[in-house]
Amino acid sequence: MLDQTLALRLKSKSVKESIVSRIAKDFNLTPILANAYFSQISDYFLTHAEVKLSSGEFRYLAVDEQEPAGKPLALCKKVPVTLTLHAPDEDLAIYQKSGLKGLRQAKILRITNEAVDQGGLLSYEDIAFILTSSVVTIKRDTSQMRRQGVILPSRGWRHEMGRGQTHKAQILSLYLSGYQFSEIEHRTRHSETAIKRYIQDFARVVLLHKKGFSIDQIRISTGFSHRLINEYLTLLKAHARSRELKRILQSPKKRGR
């Protein structure tokens, strides 16, 4: 009995119990409700604050891709996504080859794909704000890119065109069909560095799937959305006899060619 009393006293001195007690007192809540609030707030904090970012990356709130068209932005569910604003090696090569306009369009393509990979969609306003540009310029760029066959999974495009195959999946489909990097670069306006990164992401999903991981487990391990994982698994099935796929599975650390 004495040991149990001591344990309860020590527990009451923990950081969590101290915060729960403060919440109960400040908001006039029962201990059960205060504890529930604490748990929920902890989840929010872990989702938005405990994020590891690499150089050039930043965190942004995008609209959840499941939100319907026409719903007021303020009422839409938001999801935190990690976006790459600067990728020095990749960006420098694009700038030297295509100038500022080409670099801006490459960044539009990169951040919109990164957002949708994580279950979010960027609006034209989001893109303009992130790239410190105007909405008019962003719309002009995206219109030009789409006329050239480039898919940009922005919020406006998704509502207009539905949930078709993403540009990333098209790039992987070309790779798995035997196209060389130079041909894929020409067709999709992606750099070889970006294409290799997509192949690595695809390989992670495939290898986890081969080990028996569920879609939810793959999502937790990779941070990719359910939609992207399902798209990758569809590619896996469609290209089951691909020589490139066999190469990925046999030598996951050597995917370049």
Side-chain angles (χ1 to χ4, degrees), residues 177-246:
S177 296
Y179 285 83
Q180 298 294 318
F181 283 136
S182 58
E183 295 175 289
I184 300 174
E185 283 186 80
H186 178 72
R187 283 170 171 258
T188 66
R189 296 183 61 184
H190 275 66
S191 68
E192 181 174 331
T193 301
I195 296 168
K196 287 182 177 179
R197 186 171 65 248
Y198 295 167
I199 295 170
Q200 290 169 355
D201 291 345
F202 173 70
R204 288 172 63 195
V205 172
V206 170
L207 292 171
L208 289 172
H209 173 71
K210 292 289 186 180
K211 290 180 180 179
F213 281 56
S214 68
I215 291 178
D216 283 334
Q217 290 172 325
I218 296 174
R219 182 187 63 78
I220 293 171
S221 298
T222 62
F224 300 153
S225 66
H226 284 95
R227 179 205 51 76
L228 182 65
I229 294 168
N230 281 318
E231 201 166 69
Y232 280 177
L233 295 181
T234 298
L235 282 173
L236 172 62
K237 184 177 180 180
H239 296 274
R241 298 180 181 275
S242 167
R243 182 182 61 186
E244 282 68 25
L245 176 61
K246 292 178 181 178

Side-chain angles (χ1 to χ4, degrees), residues 81-84 109-119 197:
V81 295
T82 300
L83 305 176
T84 307
L109 189 58
R110 182 169 65 213
I111 63 175
T112 53
N113 274 285
E114 286 178 337
V116 80
D117 287 349
Q118 298 166 72
R197 186 171 65 248

Side-chain angles (χ1 to χ4, degrees), residues 84-86 90-92 94-96 98-112 124 127-142 144-145 150 152 189:
T84 307
L85 185 58
H86 300 294
E90 182 179 327
D91 291 351
L92 180 58
I94 295 171
Y95 174 68
Q96 291 175 332
S98 306
L100 285 175
K101 181 179 179 180
L103 178 58
R104 183 177 63 246
Q105 293 185 356
K107 288 188 176 186
I108 292 172
L109 189 58
R110 182 169 65 213
I111 63 175
T112 53
Y124 295 123
I127 300 169
F129 177 73
I130 292 168
L131 300 182
T132 59
S133 188
S134 69
V135 174
V136 172
T137 298
I138 298 302
K139 285 186 175 181
R140 184 171 60 241
D141 280 341
T142 55
Q144 178 185 349
M145 294 166 75
V150 178
L152 296 165
R189 296 183 61 184

